[in-house]
Amino acid sequence: MLELDGVVKHYGARRALGGVSLQARAGEIVGLLGPNGAGKSTLVSIVAGLLRPDSGRVVVAGHDVVREPIAAAHHVGIAPQEIGLYEVLTARENLSSFGALRGLRGRARLARIDTIAAALRLTHLLDRPVQTLSGGERRRVHTAIAFLHEPPLLLLDEPTVGADIDTRHALLEVVHAAADRGAAVVYSTHYLPEIEQLDAWVAILVGGELIATGTVDELVAHHAEAAVELRFAAPPNADVVVRLAALAGGAVVADDTVVRVPAPAPAALIPPIMRELGADADGLRAVTLQHADLDSVYLALRGAPHEENDALVAAP
């Protein structure tokens, strides 16, 4: 349903995408992960025909996005990150207007509005002006537009930013249902638990390049390692690192004030670590359990702990 081959995009001297190749099959959810500035929104915009790639090829349902933009766009439903609604119109009027633009007419349009509104828990909000809705409610109306004409390819760019728990749960259910009906879904996010809930095929984008792809289980098996991370007030003495390595039965990673101790069961290793540290434990400032999950995959692939403003979110 979607194929990207060597897609490159620059904004002036800054490279946003550096030769990205990616596929999404019918009925498949592709979770596009990456920190802010990774190139996720640029990739989604190129697939939707909103931006032209500098080079490379994008094909949607057999149509080249650059050479056949109208034919390709017919197969796409997109919910961009920035909400775009007519605030003086009601939620129903917004959905009706965008449904008409997608070719829905008469009773078919009314029926689809009722169906998607029920799925996203919007029914009681349909006749309220958008300007009176909360941020999460607006996000649901905005996202509903992408699903209206039941497109074979859905592009959802950070669809749950600022959403409450109910909104997030409702949206994930609708995404699952769309994939079950045969739609290909590209789901761009930095909320890791959503990708696990969706059982998505994962593509991790960093600095405009895909650094890893595969199922969650495949990525965890190949890249993740459970560990105990110890953060000290000052760099620990070399003998502390040696003692911890002996305790763990293998190499530890020491980086300035942080010592990472690999452990299949990190929680069970904490008591012996504390006993081994003895008086040196007074210099500890934090102890973190790192389990073998998507977050640890990301850390392993980046090679170092990420900064808070460049992080994938382990919990909403």
Side-chain angles (χ1 to χ4, degrees):
M1 188 55 62
L2 171 64
E3 183 174 1
L4 292 89
D5 184 13
V7 175
V8 175
K9 181 65 179 178
H10 290 82
Y11 297 112
R14 185 177 73 84
R15 186 189 67 177
L17 296 174
V20 173
S21 297
L22 184 67
Q23 292 182 343
R25 296 184 293 271
E28 182 177 53
I29 301 172
V30 175
L32 188 61
L33 295 176
N36 293 334
K40 303 190 302 296
S41 293
T42 295
L43 188 150
V44 168
S45 296
I46 287 175
V47 173
L50 304 176
L51 290 174
R52 288 178 66 99
D54 296 333
S55 60
R57 190 165 182 253
V58 181
V59 178
V60 172
H63 301 283
D64 188 292
V65 169
V66 174
R67 296 177 180 176
E68 307 169 85
I70 296 176
H74 177 74
H75 294 82
V76 176
I78 179 173
Q81 186 172 348
E82 296 299 324
I83 294 177
L85 297 170
Y86 296 106
E87 295 207 348
V88 298
L89 299 183
T90 66
R92 188 190 304 276
E93 288 168 338
N94 269 276
L95 292 172
S96 182
S97 297
F98 284 104
L101 290 174
R102 284 301 193 177
L104 295 176
R105 297 287 183 268
R107 292 181 180 178
R109 182 170 62 192
L110 297 177
R112 273 304 292 165
I113 290 173
D114 288 341
T115 299
I116 196 63
L120 288 173
R121 303 172 190 176
L122 289 168
T123 303
H124 64 294
L125 303 172
L126 284 176
D127 295 314
R128 286 177 51 184
V130 167
Q131 61 191 1
T132 69
L133 302 182
S134 69
E137 291 165 346
R138 294 184 191 199
R139 175 70 61 182
R140 274 182 277 166
V141 176
H142 169 78
T143 305
I145 292 169
F147 290 86
L148 270 178
H149 63 298
E150 299 183 279
L153 175 62
L154 280 159
L155 306 175
L156 307 177
D157 189 5
E158 304 283 3
T160 59
V161 168
D164 57 29
I165 294 175
D166 287 341
T167 298
R168 180 174 286 111
H169 181 70
L171 177 62
L172 295 184
E173 285 185 342
V174 172
V175 171
H176 260 305
D180 289 343
R181 288 195 302 270
V185 183
V186 176
Y187 191 98
S188 168
T189 186
H190 61 279
Y191 290 120
L192 296 177
E194 293 180 354
I195 297 303
E196 294 173 326
Q197 287 177 260
L198 289 169
D199 193 25
W201 189 84
V202 182
I204 301 177
L205 189 67
V206 175
E209 295 186 357
L210 284 177
I211 61 172
T213 58
T215 66
V216 172
D217 289 343
E218 288 171 347
L219 291 176
V220 169
H222 285 90
H223 301 289
E225 183 179 53
V228 177
E229 184 180 276
L230 308 171
R231 187 176 298 274
F232 293 85
N237 295 326
D239 72 297
V240 171
V241 178
V242 171
R243 283 154 44 203
L244 290 174
L247 177 67
V252 302
V253 178
D255 181 13
D256 193 31
T257 62
V258 176
V259 178
R260 191 170 185 272
V261 185
L269 194 61
I270 290 180
I273 284 178
M274 300 307 293
R275 288 194 295 268
E276 184 63 41
L277 286 176
D280 291 311
D282 292 340
L284 273 175
R285 291 296 176 266
V287 178
T288 304
L289 300 182
Q290 295 182 346
H291 296 282
D293 53 18
L294 271 181
D295 192 51
S296 56
V297 167
Y298 180 79
L299 290 174
L301 291 171
R302 290 295 301 272
H306 47 257
E307 298 298 326
E308 183 177 357
N309 64 358
D310 190 37
L312 295 178
V313 179

